[in-house]
Amino acid sequence: MSAFRVAVRAATLALVLAGIAARVFAQAGDDPRARLVAALLGDTPMLEDARALTDGLGGRATGSAANLASVEWALDRFRQAGVTARKEAFQMPALWLERSASATVRGRASFAPRIVAAPFSAPTPAGGLTAPLVDGGAGSDADFARLGPAARGAWILIETEPLTDIPGLFREYAQTAAIEPRATAAGAAGVVYQSSRPNNLLARHNASLGPQNRLPIVMMERDGAGRALRLLRGGETLTLTVVLDLQTGGPYESYNVVGEIRGATKPDEVVVIGAHLDSWDLGDGALDNGANVAMLIDIARQMTRLGLRPARTIRFILWNGEEQILIGSWRYTQQQEAALDRHVMASSYDIGTGRITGFFTGGRPEIAAATTRALEAIAALGPFTQVDVPVVGTDNFDFMMQGVANLVANQESANYGPNYHARSDTYDKVDARQLRLNAAIAATVTWWYANAEVTWRRQTRAELDRLVETTDLDDQMRMFSILADWEAGRRGRARWP
Ligand SMILES: [Zn+2]
């Protein structure tokens, strides 16, 4: 597209959004939220920030040089906007990065499909790991029973369904959490997942046991894995050599970036709005989660520029280590444990740039009702519906298990699923118009929680135990390999306060 057409499109978008802003708060007089929404729907550096972070710095796995650069970038963007900001150090449990990964399939012919290591995959020996490649079907109990002793010492190739949406993504998480223990029990040499993305597109999908995983686990391009499966099903015998060059190590220091607007009348009470700064490294972390990082920075920027002072302190937190089992937000809740009673709300934005349809409110009817009230002022951007269930998978988790009221923005799947953790998660996938509308929604909700009278308090451990008993929280925690930490008291609210 020519520069002129880009400019015309941007100007048209600005006009449309200005029209929406006028409509949203038509009756609101000088309500600070109206000024905030109008500013966020106007011409701001939000998209330029998203582009600089994703095109400029690219994928930024925690532990990498790009990740450290993104921390300094975010600090600079907050400070340029006049927002007080700091980085807060915390310890990551273990270093895991991939330097390179390659594979060769050998039968009558040989071919070299593209692969990547799953995060927390075990390494292979320097010369690679060569073993029979066997058809693991969908990786079910019946598939492993069919394989019998043939699974021992073999690479198990798992056929997958194409991934199209967010429910499909959660199905993948649940399936891998069941398949990998079966592979371990069967004495497999390693697991090979057919990529659920088209052609030769790859994605990084966590090994279900996280850092406790002991197997080499890789994802193979869909087309190459499909060829191998057809050959195996035609009766051919194949071997697979995988060479994984991984950078692994012990604990190291990482940083959350915290922008802060201090409360005017209740500065000790805190409202957190969060998005994770880190990403996996195949793509540029645009939908997951650079767009929402830029959105948070712009909300802080516009509040500051307009001189808006909330009653409570608002912390705009860019979490690190999220992709490596939600470490940055966990460490924050540990460091802030004594202040968590005064954390009124912690919200997370982490599902790309699909339309915000409401919020997950954690299995707390009082929070669902309050959020519905918070959204009333911007009904024109709805409809909004609260889904009052606890969700595991992003940085609300440790707040939730500490009993702090928490929200996760519920968003239309849009293009999130197919690009999730894949090379294709690049800046061009960002929906500029919807990101601005989402910023208006996020800012309105955050402002409401930073100013409204609230009636709830932090949940007790007994209330949290009941939440786990009466919902699928335990299954969700198992899926993200956090259940053992909760049960052992390493994560979440202590039993004996
Ligand atoms: Zn994410």
Side-chain angles (χ1 to χ4, degrees), residues 268 270 315 335-344 458:
D268 294 342
V270 177
R315 283 192 191 141
Q335 290 165 356
Q336 291 282 325
E337 193 144 22
L340 289 182
D341 283 339
R342 295 189 300 282
H343 277 59
V344 169
R458 194 175 159 204

Side-chain angles (χ1 to χ4, degrees), residues 276 278 287-289 322-323 350-351 393-394 416 420-421:
H276 67 85
D278 67 307
L287 297 177
D288 188 14
N289 194 22
E322 192 273 350
E323 300 292 4
D350 191 14
I351 318 184
T394 188
Y416 187 79
Y420 177 78
H421 292 190

Side-chain angles (χ1 to χ4, degrees), residues 170 173 177 206 208 325-326 392-394 420 475-483:
F170 276 80
Y173 271 109
N206 287 4
S208 68
I325 319 190
L326 318 172
V392 180
T394 188
Y420 177 78
D475 289 333
Q476 290 192 62
M477 285 192 274
R478 191 174 294 115
M479 198 160 85
F480 286 93
S481 49
I482 319 182
L483 183 61

Side-chain angles (χ1 to χ4, degrees), residues 286-306:
L287 297 177
D288 188 14
N289 194 22
N292 288 310
V293 166
M295 181 185 87
L296 249 69
I297 293 172
D298 205 32
I299 295 171
R301 176 189 289 122
Q302 300 311 324
M303 277 187 195
T304 303
R305 194 178 63 83
L306 295 167

Side-chain angles (χ1 to χ4, degrees), residues 37-334:
V37 166
L40 287 162
L41 296 184
D43 185 18
T44 78
M46 191 189 319
L47 275 299
E48 178 52 28
D49 279 354
R51 196 199 57 73
L53 177 61
T54 57
D55 282 348
L57 298 176
R60 42 197 181 279
T62 307
S64 68
N67 183 277
L68 289 174
S70 74
V71 166
E72 297 307 319
W73 174 88
L75 271 176
D76 183 62
R77 294 313 287 158
F78 273 129
R79 288 170 181 165
Q80 289 288 324
V83 179
T84 305
R86 58 185 178 270
K87 57 180 182 182
E88 294 186 351
F90 66 88
Q91 195 179 65
M92 287 292 291
L95 180 68
W96 189 99
L97 293 168
E98 180 194 286
R99 289 196 196 90
S100 68
S102 62
T104 308
V105 178
R106 287 189 184 80
R108 275 200 297 274
S110 78
F111 58 103
R114 297 178 65 217
I115 62 162
V116 285
F120 310 116
S121 168
T124 57
L129 175 57
T130 300
L133 181 65
V134 298
D135 173 8
S140 66
D141 280 325
D143 286 313
F144 276 93
R146 167 179 57 74
L147 281 172
R152 179 160 293 280
W155 285 105
I156 314 293
L157 177 53
I158 306 293
E159 186 174 23
T160 64
E161 296 294 320
L163 178 63
T164 56
D165 56 14
I166 292 168
L169 186 58
F170 276 80
R171 243 181 346 261
E172 270 191 18
Y173 271 109
Q175 283 162 354
T176 56
I179 290 168
E180 288 159 28
R182 288 180 196 129
T184 302
V191 178
V192 181
Y193 290 106
Q194 179 182 33
S195 174
S196 57
R197 322 307 162 85
N199 306 122
N200 64 0
L201 184 59
L202 294 168
R204 277 206 205 284
H205 218 318
N206 287 4
S208 68
L209 294 175
Q212 274 72 51
N213 169 63
R214 294 286 170 268
L215 281 180
I217 300 177
V218 301
M219 180 177 285
M220 181 182 285
E221 59 165 68
R222 187 162 196 83
D223 289 351
R227 178 179 173 184
L229 283 166
R230 287 191 298 276
L231 289 169
L232 290 169
R233 288 167 190 178
E236 195 162 334
T237 301
L238 301 178
T239 63
L240 173 67
T241 302
V242 170
V243 185
L244 299 181
D245 183 6
L246 306 178
Q247 188 186 348
T248 59
Y252 65 98
E253 198 159 78
S254 179
Y255 307 91
N256 296 320
V257 178
V258 183
E260 184 168 291
I261 296 179
R262 204 167 156 72
T265 55
K266 300 171 182 168
D268 294 342
E269 295 185 17
V270 177
V271 168
V272 170
I273 172 171
H276 67 85
L277 179 61
D278 67 307
S279 71
W280 276 120
D281 51 349
L282 296 177
D284 301 330
L287 297 177
D288 188 14
N289 194 22
N292 288 310
V293 166
M295 181 185 87
L296 249 69
I297 293 172
D298 205 32
I299 295 171
R301 176 189 289 122
Q302 300 311 324
M303 277 187 195
T304 303
R305 194 178 63 83
L306 295 167
L308 302 180
R309 284 291 298 279
R312 300 188 178 89
T313 293
I314 301 178
R315 283 192 191 141
F316 302 83
I317 310 189
L318 307 179
W319 304 113
N320 220 324
E322 192 273 350
E323 300 292 4
Q324 303 184 32
I325 319 190
L326 318 172
I327 304 297
S329 48
W330 176 26
R331 299 303 192 207
Y332 174 91
T333 60
Q334 291 176 319

